[in-house]
Amino acid sequence: MKKQKLAILGSTGSIGTQALDIVRQHPDKFEVIVLTANSNWKLLAEQVKEFNPKYALIGNKSHAKDLENECSQTNILNGKEHLPELASLNSVDIVLNALVGYAGFDSTLAAIRADKKIALANKESLVVGGEILTEELKRSEAKLIPVDSEHSAMLQCLAGESWDDIEKIIITASGGPFRAFTKEQMHQVTAEQALDHPNWNMGAKITVDSSTMMNKGLEIIEAHWLFDIPVHKIQPVIHPQSIIHSMITFIDGSSKAQLGLPDMKVPIIYALTYPERLDLDTQRMNWNEILNLTFEPVDFDKFPCVRLAMESIEKGGYAPAILNAANEIAVQRFLNKEIGYIQIPEIVEKSLANIDWNDSLNAETLKEIDKETRTYAKSIIK
Ligand code: NDP
Ligand code: MG
């Protein structure tokens, strides 16, 4: 594998920092060209000093001067609106999109238009604009490789297979911290509890999404677009140990699974090196211990977000973008302790029911519907 030049968008986050650990392990295989953060300029400055990228971007403009003072050797860009430029630089081979939320969409689109290899952690890009992005992909040389562990598992199960032979995708879910809670107990859930995931250590938004299981809903939409599979052929299953990251059943009844300890570095390095593999220094499974792998069906009544996401993609058009924007607002307000936990699916459901939008789907109208939904979701919270 020749040395790959990386743009790491969201380098100060959970995925971004783990990607930089991989670069530290393989300085002969990766070179960092771009690093970006939203407001954590101090960590970004440390990363710039260590990795010496050509460009660094800080989203929150009030920190630009601080960053410039610390990092005089690097070109500093100031403001999120420059992210797509950095995602399409000639000097970059791979764009790792580790931004969170709809904020990542424009960069994915720009990277596709610039024929980049994209390691996509930002699942929301495909949720809000899967149709737009897959159309753009057909016209470009770009490759979209998932970082999400379930989708990486699917891709690994599909190595050497024909996608036409897929009968079903079984997407596993840990069930999060409230898997065994009753519906009544869900009313009392606090932000601290929702941020305490049993198996994975991730950014705040995806951790709350995992607890409501909206994350699994978003991932079903992500799988639908990545593998061109109808939603009724994607079945979510609870697997509390998070060892099997997903399975594929083929038309002859045979199933393949991909296993490993819950460690995001494995799918991150796979996305960066796909279709090759590179050694990774991480903990391995211990097959000398007793291991129980268990499975249970999803309780759609207790976790309405999964149902809402599946309904939104069946409805198509703008519905998944409305689902996503309402969820982003609801999660933010829940973390700010402005709403209760069970209001998250209520706000999403109301937004889906009450926002009507008939314009044709494109990147510009997507921006408008995102804005409109955020305004609506905030108004019902008041
Ligand atoms: P984090 O919140 O930890 O990190 C997000 C990164 O993006 C940070 O660098 C942050 O900067 C930056 N950022 C946040 N908001 C904006 C914005 N509006 N504009 C520009 N930059 C922004 O998130 P994660 O790393 O957990 O997740 C990133 C993506 O990967 C998400 O889409 C998530 O669903 C997906 N993912 C994450 C997994 C995980 O294990 N964490 C697993 C599978 C998927 P700053 O630090 O300055 O705030
Ligand atoms: Mg996942």
Side-chain angles (χ1 to χ4, degrees):
M1 198 181 95
K2 86 170 185 23
K3 198 171 193 176
Q4 299 292 304
K5 296 186 171 143
L6 305 181
I8 303 182
L9 312 182
S11 61
T12 50
S14 161
I15 294 288
T17 51
Q18 294 182 81
L20 287 172
D21 280 341
I22 292 173
V23 176
R24 273 187 203 104
Q25 279 192 36
H26 287 289
D28 53 328
K29 299 286 187 217
F30 302 109
E31 180 184 349
V32 178
I33 305 290
V34 173
L35 293 172
T36 86
N38 193 34
S39 52
N40 191 351
W41 70 272
K42 286 189 177 155
L43 179 56
L44 181 60
E46 282 174 30
Q47 294 178 343
V48 168
K49 286 179 197 161
E50 181 180 353
F51 293 96
N52 197 24
K54 277 201 191 108
Y55 302 93
L57 177 146
I58 183 84
N60 186 333
K61 293 180 180 171
S62 59
H63 298 305
K65 270 276 154 291
D66 297 319
L67 191 64
E68 276 165 18
N69 292 341
E70 288 279 319
C71 314
S72 51
Q73 304 300 314
T74 294
N75 298 303
I76 306 290
L77 283 88
N78 180 2
K80 294 169 208 178
E81 61 277 18
H82 299 293
L83 282 165
E85 289 161 42
L86 296 182
S88 38
L89 287 174
N90 275 337
S91 51
V92 165
D93 299 311
I94 305 179
V95 176
L96 170 63
N97 187 344
L99 300 169
V100 59
Y102 172 72
F105 176 80
D106 286 343
S107 302
T108 305
L109 181 62
I112 292 175
R113 288 181 174 161
D115 297 324
K116 298 297 172 197
K117 174 173 172 179
I118 303 147
L120 187 71
N122 180 256
K123 65 190 85 184
E124 294 91 346
S125 287
L126 277 171
V127 171
V128 300
E131 194 177 330
I132 300 167
L133 297 179
T134 45
E135 279 306 310
E136 291 276 347
L137 272 168
K138 285 181 200 156
R139 285 195 288 272
S140 102
E141 306 264 294
K143 295 262 175 304
L144 197 60
I145 316 295
V147 166
D148 220 341
S149 57
E150 295 78 0
H151 307 74
S152 177
M154 294 167 202
L155 191 64
Q156 293 180 58
C157 290
L158 284 167
E161 306 286 353
S162 160
W163 290 17
D164 293 337
D165 293 339
I166 303 173
E167 185 170 279
K168 207 172 196 183
I169 292 181
I170 293 97
I171 182 166
T172 53
S174 70
F178 312 129
R179 178 174 60 91
F181 273 37
T182 61
K183 261 181 108 173
E184 289 62 43
Q185 284 176 297
M186 299 280 233
H187 286 256
Q188 316 302 330
V189 164
T190 63
E192 289 72 21
Q193 286 173 304
L195 287 172
D196 191 13
H197 195 279
N199 303 352
W200 299 93
N201 185 7
M202 312 176 283
K205 193 254 179 188
I206 183 176
T207 305
V208 176
D209 282 351
S210 298
S211 79
T212 61
M213 290 196 67
M214 177 58 92
N215 185 50
K216 212 45 52 183
L218 302 181
E219 290 181 351
I220 290 170
I221 302 175
E222 184 185 8
H224 162 73
W225 291 115
L226 278 172
F227 301 108
D228 193 19
I229 285 285
V231 170
H232 70 267
K233 289 190 174 185
I234 309 172
Q235 183 182 352
V237 169
I238 304 278
H239 167 47
Q241 298 82 16
S242 297
I243 296 292
I244 292 185
H245 300 303
S246 276
M247 297 182 260
I248 303 230
T249 301
F250 295 94
I251 50 174
D252 58 1
S254 169
S255 297
K256 278 186 179 175
Q258 187 263 342
L259 290 77
L261 292 170
D263 179 347
M264 282 309 295
K265 280 187 198 142
V266 177
I268 295 171
I269 198 168
Y270 190 68
L272 295 177
T273 60
Y274 177 84
E276 295 175 35
R277 289 189 188 264
L278 196 57
D279 58 283
L280 183 67
D281 180 16
T282 51
Q283 211 187 332
R284 302 298 198 253
M285 301 271 303
N286 180 356
W287 295 105
N288 296 317
E289 282 176 353
I290 292 173
L291 172 68
N292 289 309
L293 299 182
T294 60
F295 304 90
E296 46 191 89
V298 174
D299 184 339
F300 291 95
D301 187 42
K302 214 164 74 182
F303 294 104
C305 287
V306 192
R307 170 181 59 80
L308 291 169
M310 290 170 91
E311 284 171 5
S312 81
I313 191 68
E314 293 286 9
K315 193 169 171 204
Y318 286 102
I322 295 171
L323 171 104
N324 179 71
N327 181 57
E328 284 191 31
I329 293 296
V331 169
Q332 197 186 68
R333 296 296 166 108
F334 167 69
L335 287 173
N336 291 344
K337 303 191 193 317
E338 291 169 54
I339 61 166
Y341 187 66
I342 56 145
Q343 281 179 279
I344 297 174
E346 287 171 8
I347 290 163
V348 173
E349 187 149 27
K350 273 194 190 146
S351 302
L352 281 165
N354 292 310
I355 300 175
D356 246 345
W357 203 270
N358 296 317
D359 281 354
S360 67
L361 189 70
N362 62 49
E364 279 315 304
T365 51
L366 198 58
K367 236 177 225 126
E368 288 169 34
I369 192 76
D370 177 79
K371 203 167 149 202
E372 167 110 0
T373 305
R374 284 167 200 266
T375 307
Y376 175 80
K378 286 176 193 165
S379 77
I380 53 176
I381 289 169
K382 273 184 194 153

